[in-house]
Amino acid sequence: MTLNFAPGDLVRARGREWVALPSPRPGVLALRPLSGNENDVVLLDPALEISSVEAARFDLPDDARSTVQAKAALLADALRLTLRRGAGPFRSAAQLAFEPRTYQLVPLLMALRLQVPRLLIADDVGIGKTIEAGLILREFMDRGELDAFSVLCPPHLVDQWIIELKDRFGIDAVPVTSGTAARLERNLPLAQTLFDAYPFTVVSLDYIKAEKRREGFARSCPDFVIVDEAHACVGTHKGKQQRFDLLRGLAKDAERRIIMLTATPHSGDEEAFGRLLSLIDPEFASMNFDSTKYRERLARHFVQRRRVDLIEGDWDENRSFPKHETREFPYRLSVDHLGFQEAVLDYCLSVVSKAGDHKKDQRLAFWGTLALMRCVGSSPAAALSALRNRANNEAERLEPQIYDEDGDDEDAVDVEPNTIFTNDPALQGLLHQASDLLNKPDPKLDALISALKPLIKAGANPVVFCRYLATAEHVKDGLRKAFPKLNIASVTGELTPDERRDRVAEMAIEDDSQAVQRILVATDCLSEGINLQQLFDTVVHYDLSWNPTRHQQREGRVDRFGQPAELVRSIMMYSPESAIDGAVLDVILRKAAEIRKATGVTVPLPDERGPVTDALMAAMMLRRGGHKQLTLDLRLDDGSHAMEARWRDASENEKKSRARFAQNAMKPAEVAPEWTKAKALLGSPDDAQLFVERAMSRFGVPLEKKRSVFLAHVHALQDSLREKLEQRGLEKSVRLATAEPAPSGASLLTRTHPLTASLAESLLEASLDAEALPDLGIGRVGAWPSTAVPALTRLVLLRIRYKLTIHARKERLLLAEEAALVALQGGSVIASGDAARELLNTPATADLAPVARDRMIEAARSDLAALLSGPLASFAKSRAEELVADHARLRAAAGSASRVSVEPVLPTDVIGLFVMMPGEV
């Protein structure tokens, strides 16, 4: 009994042949069936086997079934599409369910050039930071360089990460949150932690940051960590401080690889930026990055690109993003609504004037005023809810609610605030006014309907963002009356995260006979965490957000990588007669828009909110009229000047940051040919589409074209294949897109799509096992006349296994596989790759008589041993040399000091042997 099997070796165990994979530990074999996939891997201890594990060969059997030209071509495509362990320098290319853009390769190249990858990826919203981090993760997994990882993110992003990892990268991770941790830990042995039992995890930062969990996680945390929304871990807020303490503890392990993601790394706050950089290297916290030497050092770890950088750069990436058209939509208030707003403001200002010089009372009065005026400007329903709420012991929570800060309590993001006002009799009159307005026409809602009518007529699918729960329900009801034929739903904080996701998913269901337009009314519980670009193409800010970043997040749900529409619209509704709308526009939103126009990024509000509050109060008072003296008495004019100064500082700091840290030095075009070569060897989306079309037709269930998608009626396939597809979640009729971005309700047809993979595996298995799908007629040998060849030509379909050794600090031996089609005349190779595939795909001109066909096949078979030891062995060795050169080019571009050697396992596996003779049409 021998254990000297290396990755790529063939062994015989348990009555069948297997391919040896890299072993997880000494004394154990990891084996994959020759005709199986990555999910069929088994681990076995040879010492415990009844029959000994022996070396094996893969020979073309004497009784191999014969086949015709079309089915031989189908077999060649199936072999190429089943392989998952590519031999090229991009090991992850075979595992992806999407086509990454070349700019998304930049962070991957940066990670590959670092001994211990620590990166801060700070690309703009919607560019694809999740994809970039996932590419790094998948590549390191496929290189055998990591066995476990954790993604740390805010709780509302956990589900999004689970879905992205599964759907795009084929990685099954488990969520670790306050709601799942106890269930996952149940029945675990005392000595085993949750992270030992589940090596791939997505962890809620708010769950794991608690001191009682933080220390235990630091001990069992994997050595590869992704941190999403990293900027939310470096503030002075208690929750942010706990998050930072957690990350700082993880970063102390110098061998731990950390990938951090954020769209707002700097935002004019040098201290917070320094804390963020200290997680990469403690020295970065105090470095002077005005120095070229230090900037170059940081540039190895920091990448930051705006969308305009990509569209105007050297890369042909324009179709990655839609055009964005933004406009303001003013509306007029009715006499009743304007009177109500003025009455509320007058009441609030009377409370402010009574606060006197006591700063705390004054500040609470300001907050209460702003909070109530926000609700009044939102809708009568929200105003009524806020007026009914009374002061409690948590008045300090008003400020973060007013400015739409990201707090620990994400579920409370759309609840109307408690005001600081007591049971003042004057409030009763306001309550009656608000109640009366509920029964009168709402000019704001009417304006929304007017704005939507031309968009709906043009085929748009809008998302309407409201600030408060009561407003969202009010708007939903109004829109259902105005657009009774449309699919209209609302998502608010009353729903759990799972229910929100399900509500959005339900809107994706379409009637194949016609497109169904939809309108989603949402609160800011949906401004992060669920991507909406597949279903919606327009954003309406029904309520202005007071946090410019929140506006960007709302639009970023729709205007992002993968949006199928060529144009995304955003509309900002406001009333010029409303004191609160005008104040917010002047003090916050238009100033932020100016900075964005100048710098290309959205700068959040300054952390010190006192001047913001003062400036808003001053703007409201002056707009209301008659309160100039009160403005001066309260020194609110100073707040306006201070706010202007802070915006100028933020703008200048952001410009400096961009000048110092913008990362465009790495050019992915230098290695894009290697990625293109990998796709050609593994099978592109076009190859996958052609294969699925041919295979489904062979099974008697051709694809059905429906507008921009295909329907695959998988329920009509034969039982064994249908059951396999059901296990992979495919039932009934599956909607398939053949180009990115996929329309809603459809999935992109790639080589890793469950339908492609299942068909390819089944066809390959049918060729190797006579009992599998016997009626299909997929064989491994054949002969036919063809116009493609001038002389007798033999085509050999090979599976070449390579032992790929990475010579680095820790040497690793990996298995790699490649499908190759080689054309020979006599003893010489005349074509391979696409040229040989073109020969095989040329239709036969006739069917040979069985006697003639068998004679030609037998002659080819008798020469096969000589071909395997001669020209085919030479071909495999030359391919290994080409692969070494490909790896060297990539590693040179990435600055890697390691090298790769590639050795073919000989003899190669012969999957098919076909003979073509000259023939006339």
Side-chain angles (χ1 to χ4, degrees), residues 762-788:
S762 296
L763 289 171
L764 182 59
E765 185 178 356
S767 72
L768 300 177
D769 183 355
E771 297 181 2
L773 304 175
D775 299 333
L776 199 58
I778 295 290
R780 297 172 60 186
V781 295
W784 58 84
S786 172
T787 58

Side-chain angles (χ1 to χ4, degrees), residues 334-461:
S334 68
V335 173
D336 290 337
H337 282 77
L338 181 58
F340 175 60
Q341 289 203 16
E342 291 182 344
V344 173
L345 183 55
D346 284 341
Y347 171 76
C348 290
L349 294 180
S350 71
V351 175
V352 168
S353 64
K354 295 174 184 175
D357 295 332
H358 197 285
K359 288 295 183 183
K360 183 176 181 181
D361 291 343
Q362 192 181 91
R363 187 63 58 195
L364 281 174
F366 287 171
W367 291 341
T369 296
L370 294 175
L372 183 54
M373 290 304 297
R374 283 207 72 176
C375 294
V376 168
S378 178
S379 70
L384 189 61
S385 176
L387 286 166
R388 284 174 174 161
N389 293 337
R390 288 292 173 264
N392 58 23
N393 295 326
E394 298 180 356
E396 298 290 335
R397 294 183 60 186
L398 269 177
E399 187 182 25
Q401 283 183 300
I402 293 168
Y403 294 112
D404 298 341
E405 291 182 4
D406 294 326
D408 289 346
D409 190 3
E410 290 293 334
D411 291 334
V413 73
D414 53 9
V415 176
E416 296 78 19
N418 293 309
T419 66
I420 54 91
F421 307 120
T422 57
N423 292 318
D424 190 328
L427 285 175
Q428 293 302 315
L430 298 177
L431 278 166
H432 289 310
Q433 278 186 271
S435 297
D436 290 343
L437 289 178
L438 290 177
N439 301 314
K440 296 181 179 181
D442 184 348
K444 186 176 182 181
L445 181 58
D446 291 342
L448 172 65
I449 293 169
S450 297
L452 289 180
K453 280 182 176 178
L455 295 174
I456 297 299
K457 188 175 181 179
N461 293 283

Side-chain angles (χ1 to χ4, degrees), residues 248-539:
R248 183 169 55 185
L250 298 180
K252 286 180 181 178
D253 182 351
E255 297 299 309
R256 179 166 281 121
R257 295 159 288 185
I258 301 176
I259 310 297
M260 295 185 290
L261 313 178
T262 174
T264 52
H266 190 277
S267 306
D269 188 336
E270 293 282 353
E271 182 180 352
F273 186 53
R275 285 159 66 87
L276 198 58
L277 294 182
S278 73
L279 299 172
I280 297 173
D281 185 330
E283 293 184 7
F284 284 171
S286 56
M287 279 186 179
N288 176 14
F289 290 111
D290 289 326
S291 163
T292 302
K293 178 179 70 173
Y294 292 136
R295 283 203 307 273
E296 290 176 350
R297 181 174 166 187
L298 177 62
R300 299 177 60 207
H301 302 269
F302 182 58
V303 57
Q304 183 177 32
R305 282 126 357 137
R306 302 169 301 171
R307 186 175 303 195
V308 68
D309 297 330
L310 305 177
I311 293 175
E312 297 177 356
D314 298 333
W315 314 306
D316 183 21
E317 303 292 349
N318 291 291
R319 69 175 297 275
S320 298
F321 306 107
K323 293 180 180 178
H324 194 147
E325 186 179 274
T326 301
R327 66 187 176 104
E328 295 180 353
F329 191 88
Y331 64 93
R332 301 196 69 83
L333 293 171
S334 68
V335 173
D336 290 337
H337 282 77
L338 181 58
F340 175 60
Q341 289 203 16
E342 291 182 344
V344 173
L345 183 55
D346 284 341
Y347 171 76
C348 290
L349 294 180
S350 71
V351 175
V352 168
S353 64
K354 295 174 184 175
D357 295 332
H358 197 285
K359 288 295 183 183
K360 183 176 181 181
D361 291 343
Q362 192 181 91
R363 187 63 58 195
L364 281 174
F366 287 171
W367 291 341
T369 296
L370 294 175
L372 183 54
M373 290 304 297
R374 283 207 72 176
C375 294
V376 168
S378 178
S379 70
L384 189 61
S385 176
L387 286 166
R388 284 174 174 161
N389 293 337
R390 288 292 173 264
N392 58 23
N393 295 326
E394 298 180 356
E396 298 290 335
R397 294 183 60 186
L398 269 177
E399 187 182 25
Q401 283 183 300
I402 293 168
Y403 294 112
D404 298 341
E405 291 182 4
D406 294 326
D408 289 346
D409 190 3
E410 290 293 334
D411 291 334
V413 73
D414 53 9
V415 176
E416 296 78 19
N418 293 309
T419 66
I420 54 91
F421 307 120
T422 57
N423 292 318
D424 190 328
L427 285 175
Q428 293 302 315
L430 298 177
L431 278 166
H432 289 310
Q433 278 186 271
S435 297
D436 290 343
L437 289 178
L438 290 177
N439 301 314
K440 296 181 179 181
D442 184 348
K444 186 176 182 181
L445 181 58
D446 291 342
L448 172 65
I449 293 169
S450 297
L452 289 180
K453 280 182 176 178
L455 295 174
I456 297 299
K457 188 175 181 179
N461 293 283
V463 184
V464 180
F465 276 105
C466 305
R467 176 62 179 83
Y468 297 112
L469 193 154
T471 302
E473 294 303 314
H474 169 67
V475 169
K476 178 195 70 175
D477 294 341
L479 292 180
R480 283 182 172 173
K481 293 177 183 176
F483 303 102
K485 295 182 179 180
L486 270 60
N487 181 2
I488 299 174
S490 65
V491 173
T492 69
E494 284 190 322
L495 303 177
T496 67
D498 287 343
E499 290 171 337
R500 296 171 203 170
R501 195 173 300 281
D502 291 343
R503 180 72 56 86
V504 172
E506 288 167 4
M507 299 191 78
I509 299 173
E510 289 191 357
D511 180 352
D512 289 322
S513 63
Q514 62 179 3
V516 179
Q517 274 184 278
R518 56 184 78 87
I519 302 176
L520 176 63
V521 181
T523 62
D524 287 316
C525 71
L526 211 61
S527 64
E528 294 184 270
I530 299 179
N531 293 336
L532 303 173
Q533 74 270 26
Q534 296 295 331
L535 299 178
F536 302 96
D537 51 31
T538 301
V539 171

